[in-house]
């Protein structure tokens, strides 16, 4: 199997957006499959996309010869007006956004409202800030995440958790090859990609910070403790966290604010979004190494949370519930329509819920409660809690869209 053979769930949405917006931004970390998908969309039947009459055109803006074609962007793009143009790594040429605005406005005036440009970027906030100033109302945003359980075979769950969802890591021929790929991915980000985005942070310092986050996967954010360990100030570690979050490599999960007479934690939980990256930062190259390490439980928890948030309907609110005394729920989803679902995560093959969870449920009073565990069977447990496997839980959420 190769990356081209894995159907990505986002593909139909990309085509839908291209029928609605003049430009679509496909965001996501490097090597997640944006280019593969974009080129495939551009090469698909032109009739699938409004305004495209011939197969699309791909331009890599890290390629000097491709950038040279855009030295007269208006003239060149005018000559390929009947093609969907894919602009990869567009944040390398930020001045292009202003040119795109003028080109798009001319085409809208001429009655061609959608499907002109598909732009790709590796830094979500950076790209949104640049494009938002000039393309507001003309561009739609989508995020392509690493592979998840709904995109791979039913028997691949453990491999997906251990290796993570970056296609080349997941599809590597051996665990060793996968670990080597992830190590080089981390090094490239630290030594090449992040410096090109502007921040001047020593690669070794940022790697230490990233590794500290891996050790405390799913832990409450404690800027002061991390600052002491790195010998920097609190504002600096917040800047490091903001950077990794903007690159879609880290997730901050906010605390749930329930109207209860208990003291609740106010700090977010911090997760490295790809489980394979967690394992590589900790030197864990295969299943045995992961299972023998204390991070196994929280690594699985983060893997489950990422999978479920990708499957959840748009505009779903996500948080966790935790009191000062440790009463908690791993994930609280506030779904469109006002429904609240509580989700607890267990790695084992036995779905057992404890008294502390039931106390938390009395506080939050969700509409439904699920316990996502390592098995596949779905069945009710005490207190109205439903045990369910990860794949079925993801499909349950996706079915709400």
């Amino acid at each position: 199997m190769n990356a081209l053979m894995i159907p990505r769930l986002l593909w139909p949405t990309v085509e839908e957006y291209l029928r609605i917006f003049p430009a679509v931004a496909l965001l996501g970390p490097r090597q997640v499959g944006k280019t593969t998908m974009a080129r495939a969309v551009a090469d698909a039947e032109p009739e699938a996309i409004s305004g495209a009459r011939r197969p699309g055109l791909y331009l890599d803006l890290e390629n000097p010869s491709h950038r040279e074609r855009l030295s007269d962007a208006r003239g060149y793009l005018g000559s390929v007006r009947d093609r969907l143009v894919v602009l990869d790594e567009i944040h390398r040429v930020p001045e292009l956004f202003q040119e795109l605005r003028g080109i798009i406005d001319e085409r809208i005036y001429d009655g061609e409202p959608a499907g002109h440009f598909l732009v790709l970027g590796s830094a979500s906030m950076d790209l949104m800030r640049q494009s938002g100033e000039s393309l507001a109302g003309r561009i739609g945003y989508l995020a392509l995440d690493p592979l998840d359980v709904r995109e791979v075979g039913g028997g691949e769950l453990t491999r997906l958790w251990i290796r993570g969802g970056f296609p080349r890591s997941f599809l590597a021929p051996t665990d060793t090859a996968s670990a080597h790929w992830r190590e080089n991915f981390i090094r490239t980000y630290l030594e090449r990609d992040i410096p090109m985005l502007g921040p001047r942070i020593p690669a070794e310092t940022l790697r230490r910070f990233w590794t500290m986050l891996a050790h405390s996967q799913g832990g409450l954010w404690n800027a002061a403790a991390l600052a002491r360990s790195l010998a920097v100030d609190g504002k600096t570690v917040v800047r490091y966290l903001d950077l990794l979050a903007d690159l879609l490599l880290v997730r901050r999960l906010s605390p749930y604010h329930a109207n209860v007479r208990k003291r609740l934690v106010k700090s977010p939980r911090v997760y490295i979004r790809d489980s394979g990256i967690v394992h590589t930062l900790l030197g864990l190259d295969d299943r045995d190494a992961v299972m023998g390490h204390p991070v196994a439980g929280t690594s699985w928890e983060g893997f489950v949370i990422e999978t479920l948030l990708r499957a959840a309907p748009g505009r779903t609110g996500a948080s966790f519930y935790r009191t000062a005394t440790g009463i908690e729920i791993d994930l609280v989803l506030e779904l469109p329509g006002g429904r609240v679902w509580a989700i607890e995560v267990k790695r084992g093959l036995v779905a057992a819920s404890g008294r502390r969870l039931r106390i938390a449920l009395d506080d939050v009073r969700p509409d439904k409660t699920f316990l996502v565990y390592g098995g596949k069977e779905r069945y009710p447990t005490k207190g109205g809690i439903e045990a369910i496997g990860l794949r079925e839980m993801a499909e349950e959420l996706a079915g709400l869209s």
Side-chain angles (χ1 to χ4, degrees):
M1 182 185 290
N2 60 51
L4 290 173
M5 296 171 62
I6 299 178
R8 300 307 303 266
L9 293 169
L10 192 66
W11 183 319
T13 307
V14 173
E15 291 192 334
E16 179 187 359
Y17 268 48
L18 284 167
R19 290 191 288 268
I20 298 170
F21 297 98
V24 174
L26 184 59
L27 309 174
R30 275 187 169 276
Q31 302 295 323
V32 79
K34 299 188 301 296
T35 300
T36 300
M37 173 182 282
R39 298 189 77 155
V41 168
D43 290 340
E45 289 296 322
E47 292 80 9
I49 302 166
S50 172
R53 294 180 292 278
R54 288 193 289 148
L57 172 67
Y58 173 80
L59 297 175
D60 179 2
L61 299 184
E62 287 192 328
N63 184 322
S65 66
H66 287 194
R67 285 202 305 273
E68 178 60 27
R69 297 187 208 179
L70 295 173
S71 57
D72 175 14
R74 190 174 291 268
Y76 179 77
L77 294 174
S79 72
V80 293
R81 182 168 182 161
D82 59 347
R83 305 175 73 176
L84 171 67
V85 178
V86 178
L87 298 168
D88 203 349
E89 298 297 327
I90 193 170
H91 52 276
R92 307 295 188 205
V93 190
E95 62 273 15
L96 189 57
F97 284 114
Q98 192 62 43
E99 292 284 357
L100 291 181
R101 175 179 176 171
I103 293 168
I104 287 171
D105 286 351
E106 287 177 6
R107 295 184 185 181
I108 292 174
Y109 182 80
D110 291 340
E112 301 176 19
H116 303 293
F117 301 104
L118 179 56
V119 301
L120 314 183
S122 302
S124 63
M125 296 309 296
D126 183 66
L127 186 61
M128 290 177 73
R129 182 168 55 250
Q130 293 171 2
S131 61
E133 294 173 356
S134 54
L135 294 181
R138 304 166 181 85
I139 188 167
Y141 295 95
L142 292 170
L144 182 64
D145 295 303
L147 297 168
D148 77 26
V149 66
R150 295 171 296 147
E151 296 175 314
V152 303
E156 301 286 5
L157 179 60
T158 298
R159 178 163 71 142
L160 185 63
W161 169 41
I162 300 300
R163 295 185 176 189
F166 286 94
R168 291 187 181 180
S169 177
F170 174 73
L171 296 169
T174 65
D175 285 341
T176 299
S178 175
H180 285 324
W181 184 90
R182 281 176 273 136
E183 179 57 46
N184 279 278
F185 171 87
I186 292 168
R187 182 178 299 118
T188 299
Y189 250 108
L190 293 171
E191 297 177 359
R192 175 183 177 274
D193 293 334
I194 291 175
M196 288 181 73
L197 289 170
R200 298 185 179 277
I201 302 171
E204 185 56 37
T205 300
L206 193 56
R207 177 160 190 142
R208 284 179 58 206
F209 174 72
W210 208 353
T211 303
M212 289 176 186
L213 295 183
H215 276 290
S216 60
Q217 175 78 337
L220 295 174
W221 171 246
N222 187 333
L226 288 164
R228 286 194 299 271
S229 297
L230 292 169
V232 297
D233 60 36
K235 291 182 179 179
T236 299
V237 294
V238 170
R239 182 163 59 92
Y240 293 170
L241 184 66
D242 287 343
L243 173 62
L244 293 180
D246 286 351
L247 291 169
L248 301 174
L249 298 170
V250 164
R251 180 182 298 279
R252 285 172 288 208
L253 190 64
S254 299
Y256 181 71
H257 298 294
N259 186 21
V260 296
R261 301 179 66 179
K262 294 182 179 179
R263 190 159 60 91
L264 305 178
V265 299
K266 297 180 180 179
S267 298
R269 288 191 185 280
V270 177
Y271 293 90
I272 294 174
R273 295 179 61 167
D274 184 74
S275 56
I277 299 302
V278 173
H279 301 154
T280 296
L281 287 167
L282 300 178
L284 310 174
D285 292 347
D286 55 32
R287 181 183 183 279
D288 289 343
V290 173
M291 297 298 280
H293 194 279
V295 82
T298 52
S299 169
W300 170 258
E301 179 183 303
F303 173 70
V304 169
I305 288 172
E306 282 300 310
T307 300
L308 299 184
L309 293 185
R310 293 170 196 166
R315 300 185 300 278
T316 295
S319 58
F320 70 96
Y321 177 79
R322 182 181 172 90
T323 70
T325 57
I327 301 297
E328 62 182 340
I329 302 170
D330 293 326
L331 182 63
V332 179
L333 297 179
E334 297 173 85
L335 298 162
R339 293 165 295 173
V340 175
W341 286 10
I343 298 171
E344 185 71 2
V345 180
K346 301 291 183 185
R347 186 171 55 84
L349 296 176
V350 178
S353 60
R355 184 180 64 87
R356 295 169 73 85
L357 173 60
R358 290 191 286 274
I359 294 172
L361 294 175
D362 286 340
D363 295 339
V364 175
R365 299 187 180 280
D367 297 290
K368 286 189 177 182
T369 303
F370 296 91
L371 196 159
V372 178
Y373 73 118
K376 297 180 180 179
E377 186 180 354
R378 183 172 183 172
Y379 57 91
T381 69
K382 293 180 180 179
I385 301 169
E386 191 166 5
I388 189 170
L390 175 56
R391 187 186 190 94
E392 190 170 357
M393 185 73 248
E395 290 171 349
E396 180 97 8
L397 283 167
L400 300 175
S401 300

